[in-house]
């Protein structure tokens, strides 16, 4: 009951907070990040799987998702606002600034706009609580890959800020490192859902392919060494 009450309180303040964060200019004191991902699935499949991406094996930290607002605009765009709750695994040093923070779920607002005519899906997310420690804003655009209409190109941008005097830079560095790690899980989770829904094979990165090849070579060398007869020296 306590969690439901807290989620309700968060939901009532979303409109005002959302407008403030969306219109807030990004400053030079923030850490920023930008990357591109390619999904070897059509935009239609990706935009459909986007709404079904939870749960998946890579998103065990996601506790719940609730649709707060949804409308179809006069120009046939689908606008949605959702509230996600996730486990909050703060590092031990963060407890100094936010005692008991790891016991409270993190609430994330997700605004999205689907434009079926232009075939774009744009999302904007930010954390509602824990903002005193750190705010992470993310913008993603999913669109048809310009060189292959059967693929989807994802442009992901993030801005990490902190107002903790004397520690803001270190906290931003930590937030950026965690965000980069979570991007990999996010992509893998969406690929898993695409595979489950449409039987499409997840994209294999060059890094994972190289690591597997290295591991196979290591095992082969170990097998060869174990079968080799030891030499006898007189």
């Amino acid at each position: 009951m306590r969690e439901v009450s807290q989620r309700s309180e968060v939901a009532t303040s979303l409109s005002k907070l959302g407008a403030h964060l969306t219109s807030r200019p990004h400053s030079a004191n923030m850490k920023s990040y930008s990357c591109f991902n390619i999904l070897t699935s059509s935009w239609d499949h990706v935009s459909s799987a986007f709404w079904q991406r939870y749960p998946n094996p890579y998103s065990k930290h996601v506790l719940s998702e609730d649709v707060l607002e949804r409308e179809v605009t006069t120009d046939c765009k689908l606008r949605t606002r959702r509230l996600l709750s996730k486990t909050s695994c703060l590092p031990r040093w963060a407890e100094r600034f936010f005692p008991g923070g790891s016991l409270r779920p993190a609430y994330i607002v997700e605004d999205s706009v689907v434009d079926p005519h232009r075939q774009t899906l744009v999302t904007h997310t930010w954390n509602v609580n824990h903002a005193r420690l750190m705010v992470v804003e993310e913008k993603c655009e999913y669109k048809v890959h310009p060189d292959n209409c059967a693929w989807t190109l994802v442009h992901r941008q993030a801005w990490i800020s902190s107002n903790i005097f004397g520690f803001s830079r270190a906290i931003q560095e930590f937030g950026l490192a965690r965000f980069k790690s979570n991007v990999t899980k996010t992509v893998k989770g969406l690929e898993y859902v695409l595979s489950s829904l449409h039987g499409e094979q997840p994209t294999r990165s060059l890094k994972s392919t190289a690591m597997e090849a290295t591991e196979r070579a290591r095992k082969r060398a170990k097998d060869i060494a174990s079968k080799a007869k030891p030499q006898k020296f007189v």
Side-chain angles (χ1 to χ4, degrees):
M1 290 296 294
R2 183 177 180 181
E3 181 180 347
V4 173
S5 176
Q6 188 175 9
R7 287 167 59 185
S8 177
E9 292 176 3
V10 170
T12 57
S13 64
L14 290 181
S15 297
K16 182 178 179 180
L17 181 59
H20 168 69
L21 285 174
T22 303
S23 60
R24 180 165 60 87
H26 298 121
S27 70
N29 295 327
M30 294 180 173
K31 288 290 182 181
S32 61
Y33 176 71
S34 177
C35 69
F36 290 89
N37 299 107
I38 297 175
L39 299 171
T40 56
S41 303
S42 68
W43 182 85
D44 288 338
H45 283 179
V46 172
S47 59
S48 174
F50 176 82
W51 305 107
Q52 305 175 65
R53 67 189 191 277
Y54 302 128
N56 69 70
Y58 302 95
S59 66
K60 295 180 180 180
H61 61 294
V62 179
L63 303 175
S64 65
E65 53 178 335
D66 297 285
V67 175
L68 303 179
E69 301 174 15
R70 177 165 283 169
E71 66 169 343
V72 177
T73 63
T74 55
D75 54 351
C76 298
K77 295 178 182 178
L78 176 64
R79 295 181 178 273
T80 306
R81 169 165 287 187
R82 301 199 300 173
L83 177 65
L84 309 177
S85 65
K86 303 180 180 182
T87 56
S88 176
C89 298
L90 296 179
R92 183 170 298 178
W93 55 262
E95 294 286 340
R96 172 181 178 182
F97 309 105
F98 203 71
S102 295
L103 302 177
R104 309 174 193 174
Y107 291 102
I108 314 296
V109 180
E110 176 193 85
D111 283 347
S112 62
V113 180
V114 181
D115 188 338
H117 297 300
R118 295 180 56 200
Q119 290 189 301
T120 59
L121 165 59
V122 179
T123 66
H124 179 214
T125 62
W126 66 92
N127 58 297
V128 178
N129 59 344
H130 301 331
R132 179 173 159 273
L133 176 66
M134 178 171 56
V135 175
V136 179
E137 297 180 65
E138 179 190 46
K139 179 182 178 182
C140 288
E141 181 179 13
Y142 301 77
K143 63 181 180 180
V144 178
H145 195 288
D147 298 328
N148 189 331
C149 61
W151 289 0
T152 302
L153 181 66
V154 185
H155 183 201
R156 193 182 311 273
Q157 298 173 278
W159 299 269
I160 297 95
S161 61
S162 174
N163 294 321
I164 302 296
F165 181 76
F167 296 90
S168 60
R169 185 178 296 275
I171 293 173
Q172 290 171 16
E173 289 286 356
F174 166 79
L176 180 59
R178 172 173 283 188
F179 179 85
K180 290 180 178 179
S181 175
N182 289 339
V183 167
T184 301
K185 296 179 182 179
T186 299
V187 174
K188 286 182 177 292
L190 186 53
E191 289 178 335
Y192 175 87
V193 174
L194 285 164
S195 178
S196 300
L197 293 176
H198 307 290
E200 298 166 348
Q201 293 298 320
T203 304
R204 290 167 56 86
S205 66
L206 292 175
K207 182 178 180 181
S208 61
T209 302
M211 290 179 64
E212 289 181 11
T214 301
E215 185 62 25
R216 287 197 300 269
R218 185 182 291 112
K219 289 182 179 179
R220 185 178 179 184
K222 186 176 181 180
D223 291 341
I224 293 174
S226 63
K227 293 178 181 179
K229 294 181 179 180
Q231 296 181 354
K232 294 182 180 181
F233 296 92
V234 178

